[in-house]
Amino acid sequence: MSHTALIPSHRKPRQSASKTALRAGVAGGVLSTIAVAGAAGPAQAEPVTQTIEMPTITAGLSTTVAASAEATQQVALDLETQANEDAAAATAAKAAKKAKAEAVRKAEAKKKAEAAAKAKAEAAERASRSAERTTLSAPSGSSSSGSSSSGSSSSGSSSSGSSVSTASAPASSSASGSAASVVSFVQMQVGDAYVSGGTGPNSWDCSGLVQAAFRTVGVDLPRVSQSQSTAGTQVGLGNLQPGDILYWGGAGSAYHVGVYVGGGQFVGAQNSSTGVVQKSLDYDPPSGAVRVL
C-alpha cells in the first residue's frame, strides 16, 4: 500500500460530463440572449418620424374666403347704418316732443293775451256805452225824438248800403224809453263787420250785438243765442214790439238772434258776407221772440 493512500487529496472532485455540458448550454443561451438584445436595442431607440402634407389653397377656396369676408364687412356696415338711423330717429323724436311742448306753451300764452285784450276791449266798450246810455236815457220826449232822428239816419244809410226800406223810421219813433235805446243802438251798428265771437265795437256776432244793445240800458243778457232765446217772456210773432229779441231755431236751442226794430224790420249781425244789416222779417223769418223790456 502506498504511503500516500490514506492522505486526503487537496484537489476538487471532478464534475461529471453531464453537468459540465448543462452549464455550457445555459451559459451559451444567456450569451446569445444578450447578443440579440444588444443588436436589437439601438434599432428600437431610433425616433419614428412621419411627414404630413398640408392642403394646398386653391383659387376657388381663395374666392370663397374673400366673399365671406366681404359679406361679414357688409353685415357690419348694415348694423352700423341701422344704429345711426336709430340714433337719428331718437334725436328727431326728442326734438319734435320739445317743439310740440314749446308750441303748446306759446298757444296758451297767446290765448291768455287775447283773453286779456278782449277783457280790456270789453271794459272800454262798457265805458263808452255807459256814456251813450246816459245820453240816450234823456226824458222820454227828447229820447223819442233822438231815436226817431237816429232811426231815420240809420234807415237812410241802410237804404243806400243794404237796400233796406225807410219804413224803419216810424218803427223807431214808436219805441220809447229803454226799448228805443236798444233799437237806436243796434241801428247805429248797421254796416259793421260780422266776426264770430265779436263783441264790438266795430265787429260783432249775432248774440254779441244783442248783448251789447241791452247792456246800454242796464240789462245783462247771457252771451250766447241759446240762452238769449229764453231770457225773457215768449211773445207771438204777430204781437211784436220794438226791442223784442228775435230768435231762429228752437227756444233754448236757437242758432241766431236779432232785435226787432218795428215796422216789420229787424237788425242783426247776419254773417261774414253781409255783416250787420237791417232787413224785413220776410228776408229771414224768425222762429220766435222774447220780450225783456
Side-chain angles (χ1 to χ4, degrees):
M1 175 185 253
S2 175
H3 69 275
T4 61
L6 298 176
I7 300 173
S9 177
H10 293 282
R11 292 183 298 182
K12 293 181 180 179
R14 291 182 181 181
Q15 297 177 346
S16 64
S18 60
K19 290 183 178 180
T20 301
L22 177 60
R23 288 178 180 177
V26 170
V30 171
L31 292 175
S32 298
T33 301
I34 292 173
V36 171
Q44 292 178 352
E46 291 181 1
V48 178
T49 60
Q50 183 178 2
T51 301
I52 300 175
E53 293 184 359
M54 297 298 291
T56 302
I57 299 177
T58 63
L61 179 60
S62 176
T63 302
T64 302
V65 171
S68 177
E70 183 178 355
T72 302
Q73 184 178 11
Q74 184 60 45
V75 170
L77 289 174
D78 291 343
L79 291 174
E80 182 180 0
T81 301
Q82 185 62 45
N84 291 336
E85 290 178 352
D86 292 344
T91 301
K94 185 176 180 181
K97 185 177 180 180
K98 183 177 180 181
K100 181 179 179 181
E102 181 65 15
V104 170
R105 185 190 66 79
K106 289 183 177 180
E108 291 179 350
K110 182 179 179 181
K111 186 176 180 180
K112 290 180 179 178
E114 289 177 348
K118 183 177 180 180
K120 184 176 180 180
E122 288 180 349
E125 179 189 351
R126 282 195 295 269
S128 174
R129 298 311 180 195
S130 178
E132 290 182 5
R133 184 175 61 202
T134 301
T135 302
L136 293 172
S137 297
S140 178
S142 61
S143 174
S144 298
S145 174
S147 298
S148 177
S149 174
S150 174
S152 299
S153 174
S154 175
S155 176
S157 173
S158 299
S159 297
S160 60
S162 304
S163 299
V164 178
S165 171
T166 55
S168 59
S172 298
S173 61
S174 65
S176 62
S178 297
S181 298
V182 169
V183 169
S184 179
F185 178 87
V186 295
Q187 288 182 325
M188 285 191 295
Q189 315 313 316
V190 171
D192 283 354
Y194 173 93
V195 175
S196 179
T199 56
N202 298 312
S203 60
W204 314 86
D205 64 11
C206 62
S207 56
L209 175 62
V210 173
Q211 184 187 50
F214 279 84
R215 187 176 290 155
T216 63
V217 294
V219 177
D220 288 324
L221 292 178
R223 174 64 181 87
V224 296
S225 302
Q226 294 91 329
S227 299
Q228 290 179 3
S229 65
T230 58
T233 304
Q234 296 288 327
V235 295
L237 295 178
N239 191 32
L240 294 175
Q241 294 181 6
D244 288 346
I245 298 174
L246 305 176
Y247 62 84
W248 285 255
S253 60
Y255 59 85
H256 181 60
V257 289
V259 174
Y260 182 66
V261 296
Q265 304 263 322
F266 75 93
V267 171
Q270 294 300 98
N271 52 60
S272 57
S273 298
T274 62
V276 180
V277 297
Q278 180 170 328
K279 294 286 188 179
S280 168
L281 294 179
D282 296 335
Y283 168 78
D284 189 9
S287 303
V290 291
R291 185 166 297 155
V292 177
L293 302 175

